[in-house]
Every structure is written in structure tokens, then in C-alpha cells.
Amino acid sequence: MILHLGGDFFVRTKKILMILDYEEAVANKDTSLFLQGLELEEPAPGRPKAIVVTDGKKAYLSPISPRTLLRRADAGGDAPFAGTGLKRQEKEGSS
């Protein structure tokens, strides 16, 4: 499956290693150091809300929230995101 990151840019979900919240990632010293070793690309205009890290030492800044990206990836049923816990948490909180 492919995941839309904003603008006209898509990435294969099988290549995604993690989806991070932009604000939290840049505020964390260790995560910031990790991201400095990656090739960052901003494929879509707008304030970044998520960082999508893929294999091959690449990361993409996305104006779409990490929660929305996770929902979309989980909805596709691909193994890396199926059962991420996102839906379980929402069900527990909605009772």
C-alpha cells in the first residue's frame, strides 16, 4: 500500500520505519541527533506536523498529523501498522 504524505508525494508503507510527531521529535535531544543522520526531505508545503522515517536513511516532513498518517496506514492493513494500538486506545476511551 502507499501512504499520501501531502502535496503530490506518496511513500510505500513497507518502507516506513516510524512516524513521529514533529514537535516532540525536534524537542527531544536524542531524537534530534538521530534525525541529523538522515536525509530530510520536505515534499509538501506547510508547517510540518509529522516526520516519516523510511529505510535507506531518509525522512520526510509532512503537513499531515502523525495520528492521521497512522490511521491511514493502519486502514490499509499492511503488516507494519496493523494493530498499532491506535484503534484499541480509541475504543477503550469511547466506552
Side-chain angles (χ1 to χ4, degrees):
M1 187 178 115
I2 57 171
L3 183 64
H4 177 243
L5 299 183
D8 291 332
F9 195 79
F10 298 85
V11 67
R12 289 178 147 301
T13 54
K14 290 181 181 182
K15 292 190 172 275
I16 297 174
L17 300 176
M18 66 182 95
I19 299 174
L20 303 169
D21 178 271
Y22 178 81
E23 296 292 328
E24 290 181 21
V26 296
N28 183 288
K29 181 182 173 186
D30 293 328
T31 307
S32 292
L33 288 173
F34 168 73
L35 292 172
Q36 286 177 7
L38 301 177
E39 179 185 332
L40 282 175
E41 194 172 319
E42 191 169 358
R47 186 175 73 71
K49 294 180 183 173
I51 303 172
V52 180
V53 180
T54 63
D55 59 1
K57 293 202 168 236
K58 276 196 159 189
Y60 302 95
L61 302 178
S62 174
I64 301 171
S65 79
R67 185 176 192 91
T68 299
L69 292 172
L70 279 170
R71 278 189 193 148
R72 291 177 183 176
D74 198 35
D78 266 2
F81 298 101
T84 58
L86 182 64
K87 290 184 179 180
R88 267 194 308 278
Q89 291 172 352
E90 289 174 355
K91 287 179 184 174
E92 289 172 7
S94 64
S95 51

